[in-house]
């Protein structure tokens, strides 16, 4: 099996409209696209945290940055038409499970109607060649089963976030069958990635940001669900897959709505407690952990793994960094930020390390 990486010749000079560029994945993807020679227009809300990867790594300098809401169709359409993209990467979302319980309407309007807005602009754009809709591994109906989920498994979700992402997948499938299944129209696909870690994520109620903040402050990090198993991977792993997926759909004619899982090999399917212990060891400096289970917590799945055979077969994609390397790179990034280092240079160096792995 080949070990594929994005093709610089494909991306050089491409005009890429990227929603969600102020977010965690969107920021890393913007840096990668810039390194490949693409021209990026980012459209997103202001960063939702302080600090943020967007500010720390100066992502706004790597693209044409537009602050806007994907729920605001006239503003989104104006930005889209002004830029005239070749490629669309849709990452903007309300990405937090616990927040989705607090504000389900925001979650559905962003994740479902926001996706519909993007797809409809693609449908009406004469020059777009391809669009990738990024969802999540939580789009599957989670039966708490040992068997990893495949792209053909049933979509679903109990909590508003997971359910909204399943809905976004259904919207994408409907648009594909209705508008994008013939020759000569934009190629459209979806991508479903597992839990990502890496430098620059400060979202609330996420494991790595909570751990890094606690370690930096010299206090014990609190684990609320240490036995939950997830597919853990560095953020650059799915970003690599997203770019390969776009290249693939531009070269091939699909017979059904294309979708790919991007997740780790078996070694990355581990419990929260194991990830926390690995990050504590990588951080050093007497980092400590404390378990405080909340019996009144909202429902979150305790077992979720992905089968990425299809991505290997179709795209030549595979995970490049082992779990220990992933955790070490993550801790290195946050330590560098704490020390006041140039985080744009640090991020670009880690991207270079990933490509040359």
């Amino acid at each position: 099996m080949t070990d594929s990486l994005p093709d610089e010749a494909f991306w050089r000079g491409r005009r890429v409209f990227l929603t969600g560029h102020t977010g965690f994945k969107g920021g890393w993807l913007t840096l990668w696209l810039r390194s490949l020679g693409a021209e990026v227009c980012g459209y997103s809300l202001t960063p939702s945290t302080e600090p943020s990867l967007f500010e720390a790594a100066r992502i706004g300098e790597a693209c044409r940055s537009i602050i806007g809401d994907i729920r605001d169709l006239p503003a989104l359409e104006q930005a889209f038409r002004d830029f005239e993209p070749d490629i669309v990467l849709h990452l903007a979302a309300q990405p937090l499970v616990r927040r989705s319980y607090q504000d389900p309407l925001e979650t559905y309007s962003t994740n479902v109607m926001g996706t519909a807005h993007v797809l409809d602009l693609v449908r009406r754009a004469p020059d777009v060649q391809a669009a990738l809709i990024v969802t999540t591994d939580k789009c599957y109906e989670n039966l708490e089963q040992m068997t990893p989920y495949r792209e053909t498994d049933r979509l679903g979700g109990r909590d508003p976030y997971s359910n909204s992402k399943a809905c976004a997948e259904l919207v994408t499938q409907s648009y594909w069958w209705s508008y994008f299944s013939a020759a000569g129209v934009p190629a459209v696909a979806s991508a479903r990635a597992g839990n990502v870690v890496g430098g620059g994520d400060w979202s609330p109620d996420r494991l790595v940001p909570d751990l890094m903040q606690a370690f930096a402050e010299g206090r014990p990090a609190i684990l609320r669900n240490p036995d939950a198993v997830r597919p853990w991977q560095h953020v650059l792993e799915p970003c690599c897959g997203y770019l390969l997926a776009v290249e693939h759909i531009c070269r091939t004619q699909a017979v059904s709505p294309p979708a790919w899982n991007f997740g780790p090999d078996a070694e990355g399917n581990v419990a929260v407690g194991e990830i926390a212990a690995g990050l504590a060891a990588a951080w050093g400096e007497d980092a400590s952990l404390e378990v405080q289970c909340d019996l009144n917590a909202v429902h979150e799945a305790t077992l979720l793994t992905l089968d990425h055979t299809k991505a290997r077969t179709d795209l030549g994609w595979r995970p490049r960094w082992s779990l220990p390397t992933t955790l070490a790179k993550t801790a290195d990034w946050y330590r560098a930020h704490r020390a006041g280092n140039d985080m744009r240079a640090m991020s670009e160096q880690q991207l270079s390390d990933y490509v040359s792995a």
Side-chain angles (χ1 to χ4, degrees):
M1 178 64 65
T2 59
D3 180 9
S4 297
L5 284 166
D7 180 6
E8 183 176 350
F10 175 90
W11 291 99
R12 189 183 306 115
R14 295 275 186 176
R15 299 172 63 80
V16 181
F17 191 85
L18 171 62
T19 71
H21 71 297
T22 64
F24 177 44
K25 278 187 187 176
W28 280 101
L29 197 53
T30 298
L31 291 180
W32 200 334
L33 286 164
R34 176 186 170 90
S35 75
L36 294 169
E39 181 180 351
V40 181
C41 177
Y43 184 95
S44 182
L45 296 174
T46 57
S48 60
T49 63
E50 174 57 44
S52 67
L53 176 66
F54 182 77
E55 297 294 344
R58 307 191 305 279
I59 303 299
E61 298 176 10
C63 65
R64 181 189 304 185
S65 179
I66 299 174
I67 300 302
D69 193 327
I70 58 169
R71 295 173 295 179
D72 183 349
L73 182 57
L76 178 65
E77 183 169 11
Q78 186 64 55
F80 195 92
R81 290 185 180 279
D82 288 347
F83 185 63
E84 298 181 335
D86 306 315
I87 305 293
V88 176
L89 298 172
H90 175 48
L91 280 75
Q94 192 299 95
L96 302 174
V97 173
R98 290 163 72 89
R99 179 172 167 179
S100 77
Y101 280 104
Q102 298 164 1
D103 196 342
L105 293 182
E106 176 206 29
T107 301
Y108 280 104
S109 61
T110 300
N111 295 350
V112 183
M113 286 309 301
T115 298
H117 286 168
V118 170
L119 286 167
D120 209 63
L121 290 176
V122 171
R123 175 178 73 89
R124 294 183 278 120
D127 299 322
V128 172
Q129 297 173 20
L132 186 72
I133 307 301
V134 173
T135 63
T136 174
D137 57 350
K138 296 177 181 64
C139 69
Y140 294 109
E141 182 179 14
N142 195 324
L143 305 176
E144 305 282 352
Q145 64 187 28
M146 295 297 296
T147 305
Y149 290 97
R150 297 181 176 88
E151 291 84 352
T152 53
D153 285 331
R154 180 174 177 145
L155 302 172
R158 281 179 55 177
D159 61 88
Y161 167 72
S162 302
N163 189 273
S164 72
K165 285 298 195 174
C167 291
E169 286 280 352
L170 291 173
V171 169
T172 303
Q173 291 178 14
S174 174
Y175 265 79
W176 191 92
W177 285 113
S178 300
Y179 308 109
F180 303 126
S181 57
V185 298
V188 171
S190 67
R192 307 159 184 175
N195 283 35
V196 292
V197 300
D201 186 8
W202 280 281
S203 298
D205 293 325
R206 275 190 180 162
L207 178 64
V208 172
D210 290 349
L211 292 174
M212 294 297 101
Q213 183 174 353
F215 297 162
E217 295 173 358
R219 57 179 173 81
I222 306 301
L223 304 181
R224 68 174 185 266
N225 195 4
D227 298 324
V229 174
R230 296 287 187 272
W232 303 94
Q233 61 191 328
H234 194 275
V235 62
L236 290 174
E237 304 280 19
C239 287
C240 179
Y242 300 159
L243 299 178
L244 291 174
V246 170
E247 294 176 24
H248 180 82
I249 62 177
C250 283
R251 294 192 303 262
T252 61
Q253 178 69 37
V255 296
S256 60
W260 289 278
N261 289 337
F262 298 103
D265 291 327
E267 70 156 6
N269 297 324
V270 300
V272 165
E274 186 173 337
I275 294 295
L279 280 171
W283 181 268
E285 302 180 25
D286 299 320
S288 61
L289 305 169
E290 182 178 322
V291 176
Q292 291 184 7
C293 296
D294 183 0
L295 298 179
N296 297 314
V298 297
H299 173 269
E300 294 186 74
T302 58
L303 176 61
L304 177 59
T305 59
L306 287 180
D307 184 315
H308 59 257
T309 302
K310 187 171 183 285
R312 283 177 176 266
T313 302
D314 293 350
L315 312 177
W317 176 90
R318 69 171 179 85
R320 299 175 65 80
W321 275 351
S322 67
L323 186 59
T325 299
T326 291
L327 300 183
K329 292 291 187 182
T330 300
D332 287 348
W333 197 100
Y334 284 99
R335 270 197 302 266
H337 180 266
R338 182 187 180 196
N341 293 358
D342 182 341
M343 299 316 297
R344 173 69 172 274
M346 178 67 172
S347 302
E348 290 176 340
Q349 181 59 57
Q350 290 201 342
L351 174 57
S352 177
D353 293 344
Y354 179 85
V355 170
S356 62

